[in-house]
Amino acid sequence: MCNGLHIFPICVVLVSLTTFCVTYILSVWRKDVNPVLPYISDTGTTPYESCLFSFFLNLSAIGAFCTMYIRYRWVRLVSHEERSLRCYNILGLLLGWLSALGLGLVANFQETNLKGVHMTGAAMTIGCGILYMYLQTVLSYKMADTLSLSRVRLLMAIFCTLTATSFLIATVVAKSLRSSTTDTLHWETSEKGYAAHVTAAVSEWLTCIVFLLFFTTFVQDFKRTTASLSFHINTIAEGEGIKV
């Protein structure tokens, strides 16, 4: 029997947030980015920060993958395989895993090297992640979870939707206004689109932080959950061999 499953969502949150903070401090200290809230990916695109960024976000992606699977199995047990919840649960697991896969792409393909793959991963992480939040909220209400917890999940999902929309709009505006000579890692306050860039960066940080904190809403449920692992070995009786 294995207890302590709540450590998975806690580790996802702590490892991810610590990674963002450490790479931000390092990138500012090494003057790889401007200190006024760069994009999260900007802080992990240049060596040596990129090495830490990739390694620890890979751990976060694996942790998120495990957390989402545990949540899926938890819902199955609590709902007693109720048909009306089964589709929501399976769809939530698939979207969650796509979000975790997107985080892996963000970690391993830096924006300055393979921007297309990096942006695809970011879209998967945020887009599928927000849909995952809504599906888990729906499951909470349908399973009659604690009303306050269900409301918290709903508010977090709505907040991420608003900040992600703000990020998308502000990013498009900043890109359309900036000049061809703009160093995207070192925006200057005098450049056109600077305000939109800062707005996009703030929105991105808020979206990612709240999305990560969403995992903490699983902690209490996982604390009262145990998992078991069993091995079965089929032995060959003495005298039996491989017949040719």
Side-chain angles (χ1 to χ4, degrees):
M1 300 296 287
C2 177
N3 296 315
L5 296 177
H6 62 283
I7 198 66
F8 282 97
I10 292 175
C11 285
V12 170
V13 175
L14 292 180
V15 171
S16 299
L17 293 181
T18 301
T19 302
F20 295 159
C21 292
V22 170
T23 54
Y24 170 77
I25 292 171
L26 281 176
S27 59
V28 170
W29 178 61
R30 299 183 71 247
K31 298 182 179 179
D32 290 329
V33 297
N34 280 347
V36 182
L37 275 185
Y39 294 124
I40 293 176
S41 296
D42 290 350
T43 67
T45 194
T46 307
Y48 300 100
E49 304 92 271
S50 61
C51 301
L52 296 173
F53 192 81
S54 296
F55 179 77
F56 287 105
L57 279 194
N58 281 327
L59 294 181
S60 296
I62 295 172
F65 188 93
C66 294
T67 299
M68 291 163 176
Y69 181 71
I70 295 171
R71 169 66 178 177
Y72 163 76
R73 293 301 299 268
W74 185 89
V75 171
R76 281 183 58 183
L77 289 172
V78 173
S79 65
H80 305 291
E81 297 283 1
E82 187 178 336
R83 287 188 176 182
S84 61
L85 300 180
R86 190 179 302 170
C87 291
Y88 289 109
N89 198 24
I90 294 175
L91 182 58
L93 178 66
L94 294 177
L95 287 171
W97 279 357
L98 284 174
S99 180
L101 175 61
L103 183 60
L105 294 178
V106 169
N108 295 288
F109 298 90
Q110 287 75 32
E111 61 177 345
T112 51
N113 296 323
L114 288 171
K115 190 170 184 178
V117 178
H118 182 87
M119 297 306 295
T120 299
M124 289 171 59
T125 303
I126 296 176
C128 294
I130 291 176
L131 292 176
Y132 177 80
M133 295 170 73
Y134 277 111
L135 278 172
Q136 295 307 313
T137 302
V138 170
L139 287 170
S140 296
Y141 278 105
K142 285 185 173 291
M143 292 190 301
D145 274 356
T146 305
L147 185 58
S148 58
L149 182 59
S150 300
R151 287 175 175 172
V152 168
R153 286 174 177 159
L154 178 60
L155 289 174
M156 294 176 84
I158 293 173
F159 181 85
C160 282
T161 302
L162 296 175
T163 53
T165 302
S166 173
F167 165 71
L168 181 61
I169 295 173
T171 300
V172 172
V173 172
K175 186 176 181 179
S176 64
L177 292 177
R178 76 185 185 198
S179 65
S180 58
T181 59
T182 299
D183 183 352
T184 56
L185 297 180
H186 297 85
W187 280 77
E188 298 296 336
T189 56
S190 58
E191 294 185 76
K192 290 183 177 180
Y194 177 78
H197 161 70
V198 173
T199 301
V202 171
S203 299
E204 182 191 37
W205 280 85
L206 290 175
T207 302
C208 292
I209 290 173
V210 175
F211 174 58
L212 288 170
L213 292 178
F214 187 84
F215 285 99
T216 63
T217 65
F218 299 150
V219 170
Q220 290 302 318
D221 294 334
F222 288 8
K223 276 185 177 180
R224 48 194 176 95
T225 305
T226 58
S228 61
L229 180 66
S230 60
F231 293 91
H232 300 279
I233 301 176
N234 296 321
T235 59
I236 300 177
E238 186 176 355
E240 292 184 7
I242 301 176
K243 297 180 180 181
V244 180

